[in-house]
Amino acid sequence: MSEPSIAETGSARLEQRPTGVALALADAVALVSFVAVGLRSHRIGAIAEIAVRNVVPLAATWIMVSVAVGTYRRRDLASLVITWAIAVPVSLLVRTWWVGSPQGGRIVVFVAVGLAFTLLFLLIGRVIVAAFVRMRPVWRRRP
């Protein structure tokens, strides 16, 4: 039996990459989970209204930036980090403008905590997707 060629090995690796849809779903679950944990930890008001005012800016900004960056077409860590680094602070500032809080120096803490925890949730989601992709058998077609 012969060793696989570099081209065959490379295509096998590509077959094992998660799809853009799987990554988009994992990221969506991660971002919604971030909002849910934030709402739970702050225990504030009517859940539907508060969820909307927190999810809408994050989702809208994430979608716009991910399309511009090609996050789910490229499917790499660099595009995720670029999307995160732009979308999260912008969305948190939009949310602050919309809601009116936090104010003053607390905005910096709000954005820093938001950046840290969204990245944590996103990376956990990506690790879970990668684990499932590695567990899935890869069937190769032989010419």
Side-chain angles (χ1 to χ4, degrees), residues 46 49 83 113 126 139:
E49 176 193 343
T83 302
V113 169
R126 293 290 180 110
W139 306 103

Side-chain angles (χ1 to χ4, degrees), residues 9-32:
T9 305
S11 66
R13 275 194 216 120
L14 287 177
E15 290 172 9
Q16 291 183 336
R17 288 178 62 193
T19 66
V21 172
L23 294 175
L25 287 172
D27 292 350
V29 168
L31 294 171
V32 170

Side-chain angles (χ1 to χ4, degrees), residues 4-109:
S5 71
I6 292 174
E8 290 173 339
T9 305
S11 66
R13 275 194 216 120
L14 287 177
E15 290 172 9
Q16 291 183 336
R17 288 178 62 193
T19 66
V21 172
L23 294 175
L25 287 172
D27 292 350
V29 168
L31 294 171
V32 170
S33 297
F34 163 74
V35 171
V37 168
L39 293 177
R40 177 121 170 97
S41 69
H42 295 292
R43 302 175 208 260
I44 35 181
I47 193 74
E49 176 193 343
I50 294 170
V52 166
R53 74 181 192 192
N54 286 281
V55 169
V56 168
L58 186 55
T61 307
W62 188 270
I63 291 167
M64 287 186 283
V65 174
S66 67
V67 167
V69 171
T71 306
Y72 303 109
R73 184 181 68 253
R74 291 174 45 192
R75 300 178 295 169
D76 59 3
L77 187 58
S79 62
L80 173 68
V81 170
I82 292 167
T83 302
W84 164 80
I86 297 169
V88 173
V90 168
S91 67
L92 294 177
L93 292 173
V94 167
R95 181 246 176 237
T96 297
W97 168 79
W98 186 9
V99 174
S101 70
Q103 297 178 351
R106 292 177 43 208
I107 293 172
V108 174
V109 173

